[in-house]
Amino acid sequence: MLQQTVVATVIPYFLDFTRRWPTVDSLAAAPIDDLLAAWAGLGYYARARNLHKAAVMVAEEWGGEFFCPDDSSPDNIANCDSHLRLLPGVGPYTAGAIGAIAFGQQTVVVDGNIERLLSRYFGIDIPIPAAKTRIGAAYQSLLPVNRPSDLPQALMDFASAVCTPKRPQCKGCCLAGSCVALANDIVETLPVKPLKTKKPMRRAVFFVAVNQHGEVFLHRRPEKGLLGCMLGFPENGLSSKAIEPSLDQNAAPFAAEWILLSEPIFHVFTHFTLEAYIYLANVDSQPDASLGGMTIGQWRKPCSADLPSLMRKIWAAARPQLFRDKLVEDEAGSAAR
DNA sequence: AATACGTGGAC
DNA sequence: TGTCCAAGTAT
């Protein structure tokens, strides 16, 4: 959960997950849709899919244990690392963190905080990601024999509090006397990040329908790609790089009196900004939307908690309009989950 | 190596 | 509709 996500954001999700699925076995046995619903709003949804796959691997293939050699010889540290890396979603950082924190091994653990701290302290001025090799070597050179699990956690907290990206607290820093970047007055220029390209715009249309039962029409998105496997309103254009998708009703999941909201909403992703146009419909029947005989969606009680943030935002924009001339029970009653 | 992948908080 | 970034990983 902490991958590219700040601690304060993670805490409620972590507490919910560990309460509902306190063991690897329970997590592996949980329906993936339950995990995805619990993950909704946290972002980077491949993490949730990988977490479940990893739990299934540990439960069914590893006998329920994160096998790790208790002998801490260098060979076994490497073996443990490569073993953990077999789990989907476990990369260099996570494998190192598990090795150090869970098993007390002398692993290399370099997150964004430590990367910043070490690149500054050692004056590593080659760009990321090429600098990662040297930063890893620098970390290796610091590894203590005793309590190796303290090092990454101490460095992360220290860098997060003192060696910050902007306005680092060099005055009074206990490392100021030997920090290469400080001596060269280049602290805030490190680490060297690649130049960021301008974020492109995409345009998409979304279809929000409510039936006479107060249910909305949602579908499960394709298992890979943006918002993979998450619930969402049918749409057209979201995954298309060409900013061309027509704003007409061609992609509607079924025929209805679709009304286009006058104003689009905007949503910012990591690599593009979305301009989302929203079509609305109140339907008296319950159309069975299908393509080639396959049902493409389902009518469900609207529950924002199950939706990724983009879809929550779309629902929040659509709901007042849909409820204007049709009294429908909203989700307030079902929000006490 | 470069890009895809979410979201929200701090300025 | 800004900018930058966060306990990164997969492809």
Side-chain angles (χ1 to χ4, degrees):
Chain A
M1 286 180 173
L2 288 166
Q3 292 168 358
Q4 292 287 286
T5 307
V6 294
V7 173
T9 300
V10 161
I11 287 174
Y13 288 86
F14 178 82
L15 294 175
D16 183 45
F17 265 67
T18 50
R19 179 185 62 79
R20 292 176 63 177
W21 303 294
T23 66
V24 178
D25 286 340
S26 62
L27 192 63
I32 180 63
D33 289 355
D34 288 359
L35 263 81
L36 293 169
W39 199 281
L42 193 54
Y44 283 151
Y45 298 101
R47 293 181 298 178
R49 305 194 298 272
N50 287 334
L51 176 64
H52 190 246
K53 286 182 195 164
V56 169
M57 278 181 62
V58 172
E60 297 183 359
E61 298 178 27
W62 295 9
E65 304 208 8
F66 289 80
F67 167 77
C68 194
D70 48 9
D71 177 1
S72 63
S73 72
D75 278 355
N76 278 337
I77 290 174
N79 288 342
C80 179
D81 194 80
S82 59
H83 190 240
L84 292 170
R85 288 285 300 273
L86 295 174
L87 299 172
V90 176
Y93 162 75
T94 305
I98 295 171
I101 298 170
F103 297 109
Q105 295 196 330
Q106 294 180 293
T107 58
V108 171
V109 185
V110 180
D111 79 322
N113 292 300
I114 296 175
E115 179 177 274
R116 186 174 60 252
L117 171 65
L118 296 183
S119 65
R120 288 172 174 175
Y121 184 77
F122 291 103
I124 300 171
D125 58 359
I126 58 181
I128 305 291
K132 286 177 180 289
T133 302
R134 282 185 54 187
I135 294 171
Y139 187 98
Q140 186 76 244
S141 74
L142 300 175
L143 267 175
V145 172
N146 296 320
R147 300 174 58 174
S149 71
D150 284 353
L151 183 67
Q153 298 180 87
L155 291 183
M156 284 189 280
D157 285 344
F158 176 75
S160 173
V162 178
C163 197
T164 51
K166 303 286 178 59
R167 303 164 65 87
Q169 308 300 300
C170 300
K171 197 177 304 178
C173 173
C174 57
L175 300 175
S178 43
C179 177
V180 174
L182 181 59
N184 293 287
D185 195 24
I186 55 172
V187 172
E188 286 201 63
T189 72
L190 299 183
V192 179
K193 295 292 188 67
L195 286 62
K196 41 196 62 100
T197 59
K198 207 175 73 177
K199 193 168 289 191
M201 181 77 72
R202 286 187 196 176
R203 184 174 300 138
V205 292
F206 292 78
F207 296 91
V208 180
V210 171
N211 67 14
Q212 73 275 29
H213 302 305
E215 298 167 324
V216 295
F217 190 76
L218 296 168
H219 77 129
R220 185 72 60 182
R221 295 181 54 78
E223 65 176 319
K224 296 200 170 184
L226 194 69
L227 308 178
C229 293
M230 299 302 288
L231 289 175
F233 298 103
E235 52 81 16
N236 181 230
L238 180 56
S239 293
S240 170
K241 289 186 176 181
I243 187 175
E244 194 48 51
S246 55
L247 294 179
D248 60 30
Q249 307 172 23
N250 286 344
F254 45 78
E257 290 184 21
W258 295 104
I259 307 294
L260 181 62
L261 268 192
S262 55
E263 295 297 328
I265 65 149
F266 292 85
H267 189 78
V268 180
F269 290 95
T270 306
H271 51 301
F272 68 94
T273 296
L274 177 68
E275 183 182 10
Y277 288 84
I278 304 173
Y279 276 104
L280 311 175
N282 273 305
V283 295
D284 293 325
S285 62
Q286 190 156 306
D288 181 20
S290 61
L291 283 177
M294 298 251 300
T295 299
I296 64 167
Q298 51 190 288
W299 292 93
R300 305 168 55 109
K301 283 291 183 185
C303 179
S304 288
D306 293 348
L307 301 176
S309 289
L310 167 63
M311 302 300 173
R312 294 180 188 179
K313 202 179 287 188
I314 289 168
W315 174 234
R319 179 165 59 178
Q321 301 302 316
L322 288 164
F323 290 164
R324 184 193 300 189
D325 35 74
K326 209 175 189 67
L327 186 60
V328 184
E329 181 185 345
D330 73 4
E331 63 184 292
S334 61
R337 321 190 310 129

